[in-house]
């Protein structure tokens, strides 16, 4: 290999036995902590949130967001996006049809219990949500059921 690359053996051995530089050691430290932060987030965090963790937890280790991005890319640490829930498409055979509008906005009546109307709403309480349904007789304007 040295002959093909036209490099002497001594240079090759010098390269293999050299000590890592300060910047390489710093990159190794950043890579280690990036793996820790990424694993702690169950693999969800990308480089932006990992960088935010660096700023919050290791302010003495100065690095840029771009450096974190490159190191995470080299170590194959990527953000894991959650899939959105896909709602099932309705079966056309089972589609509910609404009843016809028989009142047609004619709310006046002279006979009791001939025309009823209703509504539903929900109310927030200290125990949770409560649903309220009301049925009203249009003649007497009294609540028939609820």
């Amino acid at each position: 290999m040295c002959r093909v690359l036209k490099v002497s053996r001594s240079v090759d051995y010098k390269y293999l036995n050299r000590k890592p530089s300060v910047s390489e050691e710093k990159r190794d430290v950043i890579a280690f902590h990036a793996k820790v932060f990424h694993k702690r987030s169950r693999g969800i965090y990308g480089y932006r949130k990992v960088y935010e963790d660096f700023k919050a937890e290791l302010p003495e280790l100065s690095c840029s967001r771009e450096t974190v991005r490159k190191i995470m890319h080299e170590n194959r640490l990527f953000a894991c996006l959650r899939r959105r829930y896909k709602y099932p498409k309705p079966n056309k055979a089972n589609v509910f049809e609404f009843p016809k509008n028989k009142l047609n906005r004619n709310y006046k009546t002279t006979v009791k219990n001939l025309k009823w109307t209703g509504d539903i709403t929900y109310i927030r309480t200290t125990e949770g949500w409560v649903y309220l349904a009301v049925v009203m007789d249009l003649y007497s304007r009294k609540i028939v059921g609820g």
Side-chain angles (χ1 to χ4, degrees), residues 23-42:
S23 62
E24 286 176 339
E25 288 178 350
K26 183 178 175 182
R27 285 178 69 85
D28 289 342
V29 171
I30 293 171
F32 172 76
H33 288 292
K35 288 176 186 176
V36 170
F37 295 148
H38 190 261
K39 187 175 182 180
R40 190 172 63 191
S41 73
R42 296 183 314 275

Side-chain angles (χ1 to χ4, degrees), residues 40-138:
R40 190 172 63 191
S41 73
R42 296 183 314 275
I44 296 173
Y45 280 8
Y47 73 94
R48 291 180 183 95
K49 287 198 177 183
V50 170
Y51 175 69
E52 294 297 322
D53 286 348
F54 268 109
K55 287 195 320 188
E57 296 182 29
L58 299 168
E60 68 277 358
L61 185 64
S62 63
C63 62
S64 68
R65 190 165 71 175
E66 187 63 20
T67 303
V68 174
R69 185 191 67 78
K70 286 178 183 177
I71 290 173
M72 287 183 66
H73 185 76
E74 289 168 3
N75 291 293
R76 301 191 52 75
L77 300 173
F78 303 107
C80 176
L81 300 176
R82 294 182 187 155
R83 288 182 180 231
R84 290 186 178 181
Y85 178 74
K86 289 187 177 180
Y87 292 96
K89 293 182 180 177
N91 187 355
K92 291 186 179 179
N94 296 332
V95 174
F96 178 75
E97 290 187 26
F98 289 98
K100 302 282 186 211
N101 185 1
K102 294 180 180 177
L103 289 178
N104 206 18
R105 295 191 180 266
N106 181 12
Y107 300 121
K108 295 182 181 178
T109 182
T110 56
V111 182
K112 188 176 183 180
N113 289 330
L114 180 66
K115 295 180 182 179
W116 286 359
T117 186
D119 194 17
I120 186 168
T121 187
Y122 52 94
I123 304 165
R124 186 177 197 167
T125 65
T126 56
E127 296 179 2
W129 292 97
V130 178
Y131 296 92
L132 175 65
V134 179
V135 179
M136 181 177 71
D137 180 23
L138 289 178

Side-chain angles (χ1 to χ4, degrees), residues 9-34:
R9 285 184 180 182
S10 62
V11 172
D12 188 36
Y13 283 115
K14 221 182 238 186
Y15 176 77
L16 290 175
N17 296 326
R18 72 179 174 82
K19 293 181 181 175
S21 66
V22 176
S23 62
E24 286 176 339
E25 288 178 350
K26 183 178 175 182
R27 285 178 69 85
D28 289 342
V29 171
I30 293 171
F32 172 76
H33 288 292

